[in-house]
Amino acid sequence: MLDNINYKKCLAIAVLVLLAVVSFFLIADKVSQPDTFAGTSQSIDSKVETVLKLTATSSLASVGVSAIPGDTATPIADKLADFTEYFLLILCILYSEKYLLSIIGIGVFKVIIPLACLAGIFTVVKGSEFAKKLAVKAVLVGLSIFIVIPAGVGVSDIVYSRYRDSIDTAIESAEKLSDETSAFTENSDDADVVSSILTKISESVDSLTEKASSVLYRFVESLAVMIVTACVIPLLVLIFFLWLVKLITGREIAVPIFPSKKKSADH
């Protein structure tokens, strides 16, 4: 009976050591490769490109709207200029998600999983209840951290795909408004340009102000979509995984602990 227990202990320790080695040398190197999360990276790159376009067009539209004669459109131009800061913040978050894809994988499979295996070995040898719980929590937390970004990006893509057309419309309307207000921002003594400006002043100021208001509305909507897809949804997915880990680890998880030699000898 004692030999059978020792054999099972040695087998369990060997399996845990093998898992730690495979995690450290094979899986960690694999997940650090760019191709591992190619789909997630492409999705993030698509959002980055959209945010860059929104940043550029909001700046151009702000310049064009500020050039419209009169003070009516000035508040709109100021609001459009403010969008640049928000979009830059979203851009930083997107780049952080992209870089964390490989960094988190290395941290999980080179540090957390090997440490969990070490705690598992200690559990097998000493029968420690604390080490058992620590090993289980480390594995669950590590795997949750590893999949939280791809899962968050996947969920956000569902929302992003539904509102992508409205974002494209916002960009197109801002570019069109910039073209229509370009005559106000040109510094030239050419008679044709002066005539064009006078015509726009007399015929198009109210119309351009109304279009600027529409562009502002579309950019507010686009900003809301990008905040939800780039910030809120990934955060909610992270909270969900942490809650799930807490729910699982709050219950008893059956992990066999072999009795020590002393206890076996007493029996």
Side-chain angles (χ1 to χ4, degrees):
M1 179 66 180
L2 187 59
D3 292 339
N4 187 37
I5 292 175
N6 289 333
Y7 171 76
K8 289 182 178 179
K9 281 186 176 182
C10 292
L11 181 61
I13 292 173
V15 170
L16 289 171
V17 171
L18 179 62
L19 287 175
V21 171
V22 170
S23 175
F24 189 89
F25 290 102
L26 296 181
I27 301 179
D29 291 338
K30 177 64 177 177
V31 298
S32 63
Q33 299 298 322
D35 295 339
T36 304
F37 297 103
T40 303
S41 295
Q42 290 176 0
S43 177
I44 295 176
D45 288 339
S46 175
K47 293 185 179 71
V48 167
E49 183 180 356
T50 300
V51 173
L52 288 175
K53 288 181 179 179
L54 287 169
T55 304
T57 52
S58 65
S59 299
L60 290 175
S62 175
V63 173
V65 173
S66 64
I68 296 176
D71 297 330
T72 306
T74 301
I76 299 175
D78 294 338
K79 292 296 182 181
L80 287 171
D82 291 340
F83 281 116
T84 303
E85 298 179 1
Y86 300 121
F87 287 135
L88 288 176
L89 179 60
I90 295 173
L91 193 64
C92 292
I93 294 174
L94 290 172
Y95 275 120
S96 297
E97 290 179 354
K98 185 175 181 179
Y99 295 142
L100 283 174
L101 279 175
S102 57
I103 296 175
I104 288 179
I106 294 174
V108 168
F109 291 102
K110 278 188 177 289
V111 179
I112 296 179
I113 299 300
L115 287 178
C117 293
L118 182 62
I121 293 172
F122 189 80
T123 300
V124 173
V125 175
K126 297 294 184 179
S128 172
E129 187 71 17
F130 173 76
K132 179 186 76 171
K133 292 181 179 179
L134 181 63
V136 172
K137 286 185 177 181
V139 171
L140 292 176
V141 171
L143 293 178
S144 298
I145 294 173
F146 176 67
I147 64 176
V148 68
I149 293 180
V153 172
V155 175
S156 67
D157 282 345
I158 299 175
V159 178
Y160 181 73
S161 61
R162 295 186 62 180
Y163 291 94
R164 178 62 188 268
D165 291 339
S166 64
I167 295 176
D168 292 338
T169 301
I171 295 173
E172 292 174 0
S173 61
E175 291 175 344
K176 184 177 180 180
L177 180 63
S178 299
D179 292 338
E180 292 179 355
T181 57
S182 60
F184 295 124
T185 60
E186 292 176 355
N187 295 320
S188 175
D189 295 330
D190 187 86
D192 292 335
V193 173
V194 174
S195 176
S196 175
I197 292 176
L198 292 175
T199 301
K200 287 183 177 295
I201 291 175
S202 61
E203 297 178 0
S204 304
V205 170
D206 292 338
S207 175
L208 288 174
T209 302
E210 184 178 350
K211 290 181 180 179
S213 300
S214 176
V215 169
L216 178 62
Y217 170 80
R218 293 183 183 278
F219 267 81
V220 170
E221 183 182 20
S222 300
L223 177 63
V225 171
M226 296 310 303
I227 289 176
V228 169
T229 56
C231 307
V232 177
I233 291 179
L235 181 61
L236 291 177
V237 171
L238 175 61
I239 294 173
F240 170 76
F241 275 107
L242 292 177
W243 171 81
L244 193 61
V245 168
K246 183 178 180 180
L247 180 66
I248 295 174
T249 56
R251 300 178 179 179
E252 284 296 325
I253 301 177
V255 177
I257 300 178
F258 300 105
S260 63
K261 292 181 181 180
K262 183 178 180 180
K263 289 183 180 180
S264 301
D266 292 340
H267 290 291

